Structures are given as structure tokens and as C-alpha cells.
Amino acid sequence: MFASIFQSLTALLLAGVFCYLIFVSEQWRDRKAKQQVLVGVVFGILVILLGMDAYLLAPLNVSVSAEAGPLILAGYLGGVFGVAIAGVCGAAFAYFSGDELPAIPMIMSLAIPTMGITIRYLCPPKDWPVIPTRAISYMLIGFVALFIVPIMIGGALIQQGNGYLIAVRISSVIVAVGIVSIVLTWQIVNLAAHFAREGARSNRLATQLNLILEHSQMGLFEHDIDNPDAYFDAGLVSIFGLGTEGQMVPMTKWDALIHPDDQEGLRHNIQRT
């Protein structure tokens, strides 16, 4: 069981990395439909991986996994594309997984992302892909309500003992795991969105700084105290007439380019920084 939990957490974190790459990419930033498709693909693959790490719950060996979070967020973030890709992946895996009652997980694999897209219209993301807390509250309520159907179907199909009582117990465990999965996936996706936004902001600032340096005919250097050489960017290399591309410059060569009266002050300033 602990191995299953560890593997599921690893898969969720890996999906967060892929979400970050989707959110931060300049190529896909203004292509919302393509981003939604990619989100659906990431969550669809994640659903399969989580299904493979599922824990079998007695007495019917029902699979319990953390699929709920990726499924419902696939519908919320991926829209129709997310429902189609992640839902089909989940339903297909449920069909081939060998459960005693495969119809129920198949139905839920399609119903959960459909719930996600429904909540998307009720509480749309104002700053996609950041998911608001209000939307998560709706998802949790909707997710719990969805299990009325499998309890009714499972209770009627389970032949041993009190079928409805067994269905309630199994559903309670699945719901508890699902709630944790939804909250964890939400946090991971929001962190990915936050880091992607900060990365994009850093890239914009770097681009603006490069434009300023280029047009003001200034340059930058990097120097490690433990290293006798310094790195000159293209602007500084051009100023000193050393070429057109950034390169490592020995300090002895740099000293030769500085007026003797300024060398001591330069060394002092370098040591201070």
C-alpha cells in the first residue's frame, strides 16, 4: 500500500512538471486549444499510471487509486479536449483492468471529467490555468454526489452479504482517496502555474534588459572570486574590441585593457561584489 502511495505521488509530481512545461512554453502560450489538448494528454497518461498503481480493496478487489484529481481537472482545464482524452484513457484502462464490475469505473472515468467541465462553466477560471478555491469546492461536492450512482448500481449487483452496505463502504474509501487526490492535484497544478508565470516574467525581464544593454552600448560581466577569468557578454566584448560574442576573458587581459590608475579601484569593486 505504501509503495502504491509513493508511486502515485511521484506520478502526480511528474505530471506537475509537464504542466509547468506546457504553461511556460512561449510556443503554446497563445494557443489555448493546443494547451488544453496537451493538458488532456498529460492527465490521460497520468490516469493510466495511477490506475497501474491502484490498491485492491477487499472483498471485491475493487481498484482504489488517485485518478479523481487528474480526471476532474482534465475536464476543468482541458475542456472538451480534456474530457475526451483523459476520460477515454480512464474508461479504456478500467475496461481492461479486470475489475469484477468494470462498468462502474468506466462510467465514473467519463462522469468525473464531465463534472469538471460542468464546473468550468459554472465557475470559469479567471486566470487560466490557476484554479480558484471556489471551483475546487464545487468539484469536491460534485465528486461526492457522483457516487450516489455507483452505490445504487453496485448495491444491486453485489450478491454477497448486504450489497448496499458493501457498496457504501467501498465508495467511502474511494471518495476519501479521491478528495485527497483532487486537493493534491489542484495544489500541484497551481504551483506549476505560479512557477511558469514567474519563469515567463523572468524571461521578459531578461529580454528587456538585453534590449536596454544593446541600445545603450553597455555590457555585463560575471566573475567568480575563485576563478581568475571573467565572462564578458557580447556588449562588453564589443566595447573592449575583443569580438562580437560573449566569451571568457583572463583577468590579466582585462587588466591590460584598463587604465593603470583605474585598476586598483576596479579590483576593489570586484571584491566587494
Side-chain angles (χ1 to χ4, degrees):
M1 181 177 180
F2 291 105
S4 176
I5 293 173
F6 176 77
Q7 291 170 351
S8 297
L9 287 174
T10 302
L12 286 170
L13 291 173
L14 184 61
V17 173
F18 282 108
C19 285
Y20 166 79
L21 295 175
I22 293 170
F23 301 155
V24 79
S25 172
E26 295 284 350
Q27 180 182 358
W28 301 325
R29 179 165 301 157
D30 297 325
R31 300 180 181 181
K32 186 62 65 65
K34 191 169 184 177
Q35 286 182 315
Q36 290 177 334
V37 170
L38 291 171
V39 166
V41 170
V42 168
F43 284 142
I45 295 173
L46 179 59
V47 166
I48 294 174
L49 293 176
L50 293 173
M52 295 171 64
D53 295 329
Y55 175 76
L56 297 180
L57 187 65
L60 299 177
N61 289 331
V62 176
S63 298
V64 179
S65 69
E67 297 175 357
L71 281 172
I72 202 165
L73 292 187
Y76 188 81
L77 293 177
V80 176
F81 301 110
V83 173
I85 298 172
V88 169
C89 286
F93 183 83
Y95 178 78
F96 292 106
S97 64
D99 279 359
E100 292 188 26
L101 300 173
I104 295 178
M106 288 177 64
I107 293 171
M108 296 302 291
S109 294
L110 296 172
I112 292 173
T114 302
M115 175 66 69
I117 195 173
T118 302
I119 294 170
R120 176 189 177 93
Y121 288 109
L122 294 176
C123 183
K126 297 180 180 179
D127 190 18
W128 192 97
V130 176
I131 306 166
T133 305
R134 182 183 173 193
I136 291 297
S137 301
Y138 289 158
M139 289 182 199
L140 294 176
I141 295 171
F143 175 70
V144 173
L146 279 177
F147 275 82
I148 296 174
V149 175
I151 288 173
M152 299 301 295
I153 297 175
L157 294 177
I158 296 173
Q159 300 299 320
Q160 49 182 289
N162 188 329
Y164 289 101
L165 181 59
I166 294 174
V168 168
R169 289 176 177 174
I170 293 174
S171 296
S172 298
V173 175
I174 296 175
V175 166
V177 173
I179 289 173
V180 174
S181 171
I182 291 170
V183 173
L184 280 177
T185 310
W186 166 48
Q187 290 297 316
I188 289 171
V189 169
N190 273 3
L191 280 174
H194 171 74
F195 288 129
R197 182 169 301 167
E198 292 301 315
R201 183 179 292 114
S202 297
N203 290 336
R204 287 196 300 271
L205 289 174
T207 301
Q208 293 169 359
L209 177 60
N210 287 335
L211 287 173
I212 292 172
L213 292 174
E214 181 180 347
H215 289 86
S216 62
Q217 295 184 342
M218 298 173 63
L220 296 175
F221 74 89
E222 296 180 13
H223 175 62
D224 186 346
I225 295 178
D226 298 327
N227 190 332
D229 300 337
Y231 176 79
F232 285 15
D233 71 349
L236 204 56
V237 165
S238 177
I239 291 172
F240 285 111
L242 300 176
T244 58
E245 296 183 359
Q247 57 183 275
M248 296 298 297
V249 177
M251 288 299 293
T252 54
K253 187 174 183 179
W254 192 4
D255 282 342
L257 298 171
I258 305 299
H259 191 279
D261 294 340
D262 297 327
Q263 290 179 358
E264 187 64 30
L266 175 63
R267 294 194 191 96
H268 178 69
N269 290 333
I270 290 175
Q271 292 295 326
R272 285 176 54 192
T273 57

